[in-house]
Amino acid sequence: MIRRSLFIASLLATLLLTACHRRPLTDPEDAALLNVHLVTEGINNVTCNIYNPAIEAPVITSEAVRSLIYDPSGQPILSQGMLTNYTIDERGYETLGAAIQLSPGEYRLLNYNFDLETIQVTDQESYATIYGYTQEIPEKLYSRFGTRADEVGKIVYQPDHLMVARQELLTVRPHHDLLRIDLDAHTVVDTYYIQIRISGPEHMAANAAGVATLSGLAPGNRFGSNERIDQESVAVYFEMKKSTDPRIEDQNQDVLCATFNTFGKLPDRHSDLRAVLSILTRDGKTHQKVIDMEPIFATEDARLRHWLLIDEVWEIPVPVYPDSGGGGFNPEVDDWDDIEEVIPIGPKG
């Protein structure tokens, strides 16, 4: 309910500034209908190539698309507004649309799903500079990795799927009928499945999920030009769950696994791709494992299907309790303390 209230407040604030949404269509030559279709087909680990059906896949949906109309050079913004008319198109894709006014001329269009939980959008004044990114996790989450946190570097939240529809050059000529503009939005975010085999899953704290980071990833995307930001790299934080993998031919099919989102591996150069996995055992002790992910990212499974399958077994240690001397009791830990963190909702600016 809080998320929805904040979203509605942001939406209303933006509508007050808009120049292209809900304006009276008094001039037929300016009348246009803009529809953005959220194309979700072929997204690894979301709508195709699901490795483990027991792990919930990300859901891509939206209630509003923000539309930015730029000068054909890419700046400044000439008009902006919200597309909120929700339909399902003939292909089965969610579609957000609205009536707009476009006088004859040339324009550059950029549209993206507005109701995002983790992604911040900034530098929107120019088509070439607008980018999305996620914020750094709080200190309390860093503490789950102990001294390893210093080695990992900056850790950020994983991004939502940022669905983007572009048109580099739209030429509007004088017309008497309603001009219909249909654009397909595609994600600029990758979803990966990661898995490591384990032994002794019963030694983990009863309700504790494993936590992990994967470093060497892009911190954001300039989504006007669809370019990953590569001036720095970050690590993405996510949780891992206990599951089983029936594809494993051994007797032990226990695994820790997760799906997570990222702006992607930094292109065309080596990056420090490392996974740091951290679990809590019943005696309250934290155990960690560091894995070089470079060779795993080079596999066919990773390149074609975004499956990061770590082919080794992590042995979860047997809990060691202090000797109670026969008169006491051995405490057990069920889980980490819950951490409640408020994530800013919606684009920045």
Side-chain angles (χ1 to χ4, degrees):
M1 180 62 77
I2 294 176
R3 175 192 168 194
R4 187 174 184 86
S5 298
L6 290 173
F7 167 66
I8 292 173
S10 299
L11 180 60
L12 290 174
T14 305
L15 287 174
L16 290 174
L17 300 176
T18 184
C20 77
H21 184 53
R22 295 191 179 181
R23 292 171 56 187
L25 300 177
T26 56
D27 188 347
E29 292 190 358
D30 292 350
L33 178 63
L34 175 59
N35 286 317
V36 172
H37 309 265
L38 306 183
V39 177
T40 55
E41 182 181 6
I43 303 176
N44 284 317
N45 303 299
V46 178
T47 57
C48 73
N49 292 327
I50 306 296
Y51 186 89
N52 186 348
I55 301 301
E56 184 177 358
V59 176
I60 300 176
T61 186
S62 181
E63 295 180 0
V65 165
R66 186 184 188 194
S67 182
L68 300 171
I69 301 176
Y70 292 89
D71 179 86
S73 67
Q75 60 180 6
I77 296 175
L78 302 177
S79 186
Q80 62 176 300
M82 291 293 173
L83 313 180
T84 56
N85 181 25
Y86 181 95
T87 57
I88 301 294
D89 70 13
E90 65 277 2
R91 297 172 293 175
Y93 298 138
E94 292 187 5
T95 300
L96 283 304
I100 63 174
Q101 284 188 321
L102 283 177
S103 58
E106 293 184 337
Y107 306 93
R108 186 176 292 197
L109 274 60
L110 184 64
N111 309 268
Y112 66 94
N113 50 326
F114 184 74
D115 44 351
L116 301 166
E117 286 192 20
T118 60
I119 290 182
Q120 301 288 295
V121 174
T122 191
D123 287 355
Q124 63 190 14
E125 294 79 11
S126 169
Y127 185 95
T129 60
I130 186 171
Y131 75 93
Y133 67 98
T134 58
Q135 292 191 325
E136 190 172 4
I137 65 172
E139 196 63 36
K140 289 181 179 180
L141 293 182
Y142 271 102
S143 66
R144 290 189 170 181
F145 298 94
T147 57
R148 295 284 185 190
D150 295 332
E151 303 173 15
V152 173
K154 183 178 180 180
I155 307 174
V156 300
Y157 289 107
Q158 58 177 303
D160 309 303
H161 272 278
L162 178 59
M163 305 292 289
V164 181
R166 315 169 185 84
Q167 182 149 347
E168 293 283 344
L169 182 62
L170 173 67
T171 301
V172 178
R173 295 181 173 85
H175 58 280
H176 296 287
D177 298 327
L178 180 70
L179 174 65
R180 184 182 175 100
I181 306 167
D182 285 275
L183 300 177
D184 285 347
H186 299 272
T187 185
V188 299
V189 168
D190 295 331
T191 296
Y192 281 88
Y193 174 81
I194 187 170
Q195 170 180 295
I196 184 171
R197 300 174 62 187
I198 59 173
S199 66
E202 68 277 6
H203 303 322
M204 292 178 62
N207 299 314
V211 294
T213 67
L214 180 61
S215 58
L217 301 174
N221 185 291
R222 292 187 184 90
F223 57 90
S225 54
N226 194 19
E227 295 176 344
R228 288 172 179 155
I229 297 172
D230 59 3
Q231 287 84 357
E232 63 171 333
S233 67
V234 297
V236 168
Y237 171 89
F238 55 94
E239 293 190 350
M240 300 187 74
K241 299 179 180 180
K242 290 183 285 187
S243 186
T244 58
D245 181 2
R247 305 187 195 200
I248 298 175
E249 296 181 354
D250 297 344
Q251 183 176 0
N252 176 21
Q253 298 179 335
D254 295 315
V255 297
L256 272 180
C257 59
T259 57
F260 66 93
N261 294 339
T262 169
F263 285 112
K265 178 182 181 296
L266 293 177
D268 303 325
R269 68 181 178 88
H270 175 85
S271 57
D272 186 18
L273 287 164
R274 288 192 307 159
V276 177
L277 314 181
S278 183
I279 58 97
L280 190 70
T281 49
R282 289 182 178 274
D283 55 0
K285 294 181 179 178
T286 298
H287 302 271
Q288 296 178 333
K289 188 173 183 64
V290 180
I291 301 163
D292 177 12
M293 298 297 293
E294 283 285 350
I296 298 172
F297 267 88
T299 64
E300 180 178 300
D301 277 335
R303 288 184 288 106
L304 300 183
R305 293 170 282 275
H306 289 179
W307 296 346
L308 304 176
L309 307 178
I310 303 168
D311 190 20
E312 59 179 282
V313 179
W314 185 12
E315 296 184 2
I316 308 301
V318 176
V320 178
Y321 302 107
D323 186 359
S324 63
F329 65 94
N330 293 329
E332 294 189 6
V333 176
D334 288 334
D335 202 349
W336 278 292
D337 292 335
D338 289 337
I339 297 176
E340 295 185 3
E341 177 69 16
V342 177
I343 303 174
I345 296 175
K348 183 179 180 180

